[in-house]
């Protein structure tokens, strides 16, 4: 089966950290850009990172820049999102995808999507 599965979400206090993982099965991530997105209730889905397939260069919007960092390990067919200094407004369902938002540009559509993992930031 072709799947992307996110893991690592949960409840964390403001100022805390979490690392999310995205593991592919049924295909290899090697040739794909990997994007992370999030969607909070009442808000549009927001692209929060992209890591390129070739160079490993990354993009982050201002909402998470300096706090979130994405990486990949092609040998493990896995991508990661390290989230630091979490804030209540970071609460959302987080998705990984072979689609990527890089500034105003979108790459890889239509791509594969995971089912999402819930991140809740609350004291």
């Amino acid at each position: 089966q072709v799947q992307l599965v996110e893991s690592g979400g949960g409840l964390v206090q403001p100022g805390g950290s979490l690392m999310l993982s995205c593991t592919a099965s049924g295909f290899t991530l090697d040739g794909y850009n990997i994007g992370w997105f999030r969607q909070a209730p009442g808000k549009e889905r927001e692209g929060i990172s992209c890591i390129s397939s070739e160079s490993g260069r990354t993009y982050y919007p201002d909402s998470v820049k300096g706090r979130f960092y994405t990486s990949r390990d092609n040998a493990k067919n896995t991508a990661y999102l390290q989230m630091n200094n979490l804030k209540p407004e970071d609460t959302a369902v987080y998705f990984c995808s072979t689609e990527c938002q890089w500034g105003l540009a979108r790459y890889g559509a239509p791509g594969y999507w995971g089912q999402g993992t819930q991140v809740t930031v609350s004291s």
Side-chain angles (χ1 to χ4, degrees):
Q1 298 179 13
V2 174
Q3 285 188 308
L4 286 173
V5 179
E6 302 94 341
S7 63
L11 176 64
V12 64
Q13 293 184 333
S17 298
L18 283 175
M19 176 174 279
L20 306 183
S21 298
C22 171
T23 299
S25 60
F27 74 108
T28 58
L29 288 174
D30 185 88
Y32 294 89
N33 305 318
I34 304 172
W36 286 92
F37 299 78
R38 67 185 182 185
Q39 189 162 25
K43 295 184 178 180
E44 295 184 359
R45 186 172 59 192
E46 177 189 19
I48 54 172
S49 76
C50 180
I51 183 165
S52 68
S53 61
E54 296 293 334
S55 67
R57 296 189 66 183
T58 55
Y59 166 81
Y60 310 93
D62 289 343
S63 58
V64 304
K65 189 175 183 179
R67 298 189 297 123
F68 291 12
Y69 302 90
T70 189
S71 61
R72 64 192 299 163
D73 187 339
N74 288 338
K76 295 182 178 180
N77 218 23
T78 299
Y80 305 93
L81 183 68
Q82 176 66 47
M83 304 184 294
N84 301 317
N85 192 24
L86 284 161
K87 304 174 181 180
E89 53 263 43
D90 294 319
T91 296
V93 178
Y94 284 71
F95 302 87
C96 65
S97 178
T98 57
E99 298 185 22
C100 254
Q101 186 89 23
W102 193 295
L104 297 178
R106 187 70 168 263
Y107 299 92
Y112 299 122
W113 290 82
Q115 294 300 305
T117 185
Q118 177 71 46
V119 172
T120 302
V121 184
S122 177
S123 59

